[in-house]
Amino acid sequence: MVEAPAPQSPLASLADALAGAGAADVTLAEQVGRARLNLRLDAGDAEALTAAGAVLGGALPLTPNTAAVTVDGCSVLWLGPDEWLVTGPAERGGAIADALRARLVGRHHGLTDVSAMYVTFALSGPRAREVLMKGCRLDLHARAFPAGACVQTALARANVILHRTGDGPAYEITVRNSFAHYLASWLLDAMAEYRQP
């Protein structure tokens, strides 16, 4: 029997560069071992929202461009009036998906495992916002984009999901695999001036 090849990050060729992408002012790392589920629900169906929230350990955010971190360590990002991105540890992804499907039987919904479609970066440090501002047209100041905010936007011409995870500032940047190498290279270049001795 032929064994399936082990999954490899699209950033494998940048592993050394990413390993050295930390400095006092800004750090960049690939977040590995994350499950990502795209969930579609009728936001007007209170029972479906309650059922999904029970599985995830917290209510789905209903306010545009916000995210919630549940008691089980999952993040739920609002992507649209009837769409959320659920992220959590890879080892729990299958169980979360199965539990959501079981609880939503008979309810109008869609659930797709998109884990293999995306790469997520963690960008943090006092200069993280300045790095993002080089390629993002949004106002990323804390008063306009506080911790817990998320948005689908363009960063260096790549479509991303940007989530501010902390006041540090700290961000998660989720991008399609096909743009991951390009965006990692761009971020490393944008960080260069803050990593100078």
Side-chain angles (χ1 to χ4, degrees), residues 64-87:
N65 300 322
T66 61
V69 177
T70 69
V71 294
D72 292 338
C74 291
S75 293
V76 185
L77 284 65
W78 184 97
L79 298 183
D82 64 351
E83 184 177 12
W84 294 265
L85 180 67
V86 179
T87 69

